[in-house]
């Protein structure tokens, strides 16, 4: 199917076949944890951290619709709070939904991911059959605005400008 990468494609993003397999199982399993009574659109996410840990999450909706949170942001926030993950610690992000072709992270999530991930970070997107498409963050969010664009706290204290 066009747009569906073969399973060994992610190797060029620095992931082993085993890591891809682990990510795929983790994000597909995480889909079952979604709290999505309003959309019934289940999204699971898994991130691979540089120490080898895999952290998962799912979308969590709310009766006040805009308050709901996407799986990607739930997962990254969990990795930050539970695993102490920092910018640069994320080797890959995997997202699973029940549609084909697979869903890609929403615009807000792409920006949220950008805070913690290098533009070269692979984002694996799984469809309802467990097949994936992989793209880098840079491909999904070109010319992105990241933390490097802002002054550091030291520069701010000195009243410097970029
Ligand atoms: N959703 C995600 O969790 N991730 C995405 O990348 C796209 C959308 C969720 C939000 C909401 O709970 C449901 O999917 C329908 O938009």
């Amino acid at each position: 199917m066009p747009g569906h990468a073969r399973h060994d494609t992610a190797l060029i993003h620095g992931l082993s076949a085993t890591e891809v397999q682990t990510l795929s199982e983790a994000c597909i399993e995480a889909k079952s944890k979604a709290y999505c009574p309003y959309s019934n659109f289940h999204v699971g996410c898994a991130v691979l951290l540089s120490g080898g840990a895999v952290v998962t999450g799912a979308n969590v909706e709310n009766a006040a619709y805009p308050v709901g949170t996407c799986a990607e942001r739930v997962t990254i926030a969990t990795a930050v709070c539970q695993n102490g993950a920092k910018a640069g610690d994320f080797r890959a992000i995997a997202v699973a939904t029940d549609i084909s072709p697979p869903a890609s992270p929403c615009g807000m999530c792409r920006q949220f991911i950008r805070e913690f991930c290098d533009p070269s970070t692979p984002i694996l997107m799984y469809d309802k059959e467990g097949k994936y498409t992989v793209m880098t963050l840079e491909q999904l969010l070109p010319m992105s605005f990241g933390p490097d664009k802002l002054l550091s706290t030291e520069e701010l204290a000195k009243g410097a400008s970029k």
Side-chain angles (χ1 to χ4, degrees), residues 16 28 31 64 72 106 129 137 158:
S16 70
I28 290 167
K31 224 175 22 179
E72 296 89 328
C106 79
E129 283 154 13
L137 176 59
K158 279 191 256 157

Side-chain angles (χ1 to χ4, degrees), residues 67-85:
V67 176
T69 310
C70 292
E72 296 89 328
R73 282 175 285 138
V74 167
T75 307
I76 290 171
T78 302
V80 169
C81 297
Q82 297 289 321
N83 299 69

